[in-house]
């Protein structure tokens, strides 16, 4: 679901850039500009703190304003229009091999998926991610598709039980934790432990997915609500402008084994 990674490479006769991806980019840029006007912060700071653009340009590196990729992007804004430069620079970065940060260790993380569910394992923890890969017209969390999501969850945790028995803790962070249909996939104690993330930084994709419908298009009514509420909220608490809040939770993996009947 990441934005600029999906924009095709430039070529002598390039294909049209995906309009859905451009609509997402416009959402991020419009929010950064509106947040800058609301808070009085520099646009470059709002792009850094309030959008996933850093993450996209750097292929998921840790946020750092001194990152050379980011510094080049910001420098380019001095002589280029915001939207056009973001697209152009995103195209340039798309297929570039990313340098390993100084002092970084080789990743030992393990990641695998079953349908719409992805598990990222690091040490004794697994983080769950949900993404719409459902081909149906009804939507991935519709009543008729919930049995498919439960089967995917069962596959994920069966594999963890079999191959990664050292995993003890499950964590998750997403706006989807606010949605009853998603919560029904999870053990009750895991749901009960969920709390709203008290932050005014929106650099990840976890909170922005609420604006994308099942066909990958922007939910215009929800976008309109975001900008309407942005005018009303206190400038020190922009997260309250988001229609659905980002939530985080964690719990023992044994609750998931019990929920899915895994011995």
């Amino acid at each position: 679901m990441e934005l600029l990674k999906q924009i095709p490479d430039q070529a002598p006769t390039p294909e049209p850039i995906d309009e859905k991806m451009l609509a997402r980019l416009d959402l991020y840029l419009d929010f950064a500009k509106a947040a800058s006007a609301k808070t009085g912060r520099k646009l470059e700071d709002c792009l850094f703190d309030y959008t996933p653009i850093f993450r996209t340009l750097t292929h998921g590196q840790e946020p750092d304003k001194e990152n050379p990729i980011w510094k080049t992007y910001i420098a380019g804004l001095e002589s280029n229009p915001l939207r056009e430069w973001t697209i152009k620079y995103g195209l340039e970065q798309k297929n570039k091999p990313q340098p390993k940060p100084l002092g970084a260790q080789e990743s030992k993380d393990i990641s695998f998926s079953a349908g719409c569910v992805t598990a990222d394992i690091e040490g004794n923890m697994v983080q769950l991610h949900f993404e719409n890969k459902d081909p149906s017209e009804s939507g991935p969390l519709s009543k008729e598709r919930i049995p498919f999501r439960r089967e995917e969850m069962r596959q994920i945790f069966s594999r963890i039980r079999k191959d990664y028995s050292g995993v003890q803790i499950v964590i998750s962070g997403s706006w989807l934790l606010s949605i009853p249909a998603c919560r029904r996939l999870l053990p009750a104690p895991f749901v009960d432990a969920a709390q709203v993330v008290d932050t005014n930084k929106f650099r990840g994709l976890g909170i922005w997915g609420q604006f994308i419908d099942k066909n990958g298009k922007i939910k215009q009514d929800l976008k309109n609500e975001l900008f309407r509420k942005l005018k009303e909220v206190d400038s020190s608490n922009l997260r309250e402008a988001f229609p659905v809040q980002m939530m985080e939770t964690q719990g023992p993996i044994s609750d998931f084994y019990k929920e899915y009947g895994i011995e």
Side-chain angles (χ1 to χ4, degrees):
M1 294 176 67
E2 292 189 9
L3 175 64
L4 297 176
K5 286 183 180 180
Q6 301 183 36
I7 297 178
D9 288 322
Q10 289 176 309
T13 54
E15 297 180 6
I17 296 175
D18 189 337
E19 291 300 321
K20 296 176 184 178
M21 299 300 105
L22 290 181
R24 297 184 195 185
L25 175 60
D26 287 337
L27 171 63
Y28 304 150
L29 297 181
D30 289 347
F31 187 83
K33 289 185 287 186
S36 178
K38 175 79 174 182
T39 63
R41 299 184 68 195
K42 293 180 180 179
L43 177 60
E44 63 187 69
D45 293 332
C46 293
L47 290 166
F48 183 78
D49 281 337
Y50 301 150
T51 79
I53 292 175
F54 177 95
R55 172 190 171 120
T56 302
L57 291 176
T58 65
H59 297 257
Q61 293 183 31
E62 288 298 314
D64 179 4
K65 288 183 178 180
E66 296 303 309
N67 185 299
I69 296 172
W70 183 253
K71 290 177 73 173
T72 301
Y73 170 64
I74 295 302
L77 294 178
E78 296 179 4
S79 55
N80 295 280
L82 174 61
R83 187 177 191 264
E84 287 77 2
W85 171 241
T86 303
I87 294 171
K88 181 177 184 294
Y89 191 60
L91 286 167
E92 293 174 1
Q93 292 301 311
K94 176 178 175 286
N95 290 319
K96 275 188 178 180
Q98 298 301 305
K100 182 178 170 182
L102 186 64
Q105 302 296 315
E106 291 294 337
S107 173
K108 297 181 180 179
D109 295 0
I110 298 162
S111 183
F112 54 89
S113 301
C116 296
V117 185
T118 296
D120 290 339
I121 295 175
E122 183 176 5
N124 71 338
M125 294 190 300
V126 57
Q127 183 168 12
L128 294 179
H129 304 278
F130 299 93
E131 183 177 358
N132 183 8
K133 297 180 180 178
D134 189 293
S136 72
E137 288 297 318
S138 56
L141 293 176
S142 59
K143 183 178 180 180
E144 55 266 38
R145 303 303 291 176
I146 286 295
F148 292 88
R149 302 294 83 79
R150 290 192 64 85
E151 172 59 20
E152 292 162 1
M153 291 282 283
R154 189 196 64 77
Q155 291 176 21
I156 288 286
F157 284 98
S158 293
R159 180 172 175 182
I160 294 173
R161 181 67 166 168
K162 178 177 181 291
D163 297 333
Y164 307 102
S165 58
V167 174
Q168 300 295 319
I169 303 294
V170 182
I171 62 175
S172 186
S174 173
W175 66 278
L176 284 168
L177 291 171
S178 298
I179 306 300
C182 181
R183 293 162 76 97
R184 286 195 287 271
L185 298 174
L186 307 168
F190 192 75
V191 170
D192 292 342
Q195 295 184 337
V196 172
V197 179
D198 186 13
T199 181
N200 275 308
K201 294 181 173 62
F202 319 116
R203 299 169 182 152
L205 296 170
I207 197 167
W208 291 101
Q210 64 186 278
F211 299 101
I212 313 301
D213 70 14
K214 66 180 185 293
N215 297 312
K217 296 181 179 181
I218 292 293
K219 298 177 182 177
Q220 192 59 48
D221 57 340
L222 219 58
K223 179 179 178 179
N224 293 342
E225 182 179 351
L226 171 69
F227 286 97
R228 177 183 60 78
K229 293 177 71 174
L230 184 61
K231 296 177 181 178
E232 301 170 354
V233 301
D234 190 277
S235 60
S236 65
N237 198 11
L238 300 188
R239 73 170 176 81
E240 291 189 351
F242 285 81
V244 183
Q245 293 296 300
M246 176 82 170
M247 301 188 77
E248 288 181 339
T249 186
Q250 68 175 48
I253 199 169
S254 57
D255 287 343
F256 285 81
Y257 293 153
K258 182 178 179 180
E259 175 76 18
Y260 286 95
I262 299 168
E263 300 294 334

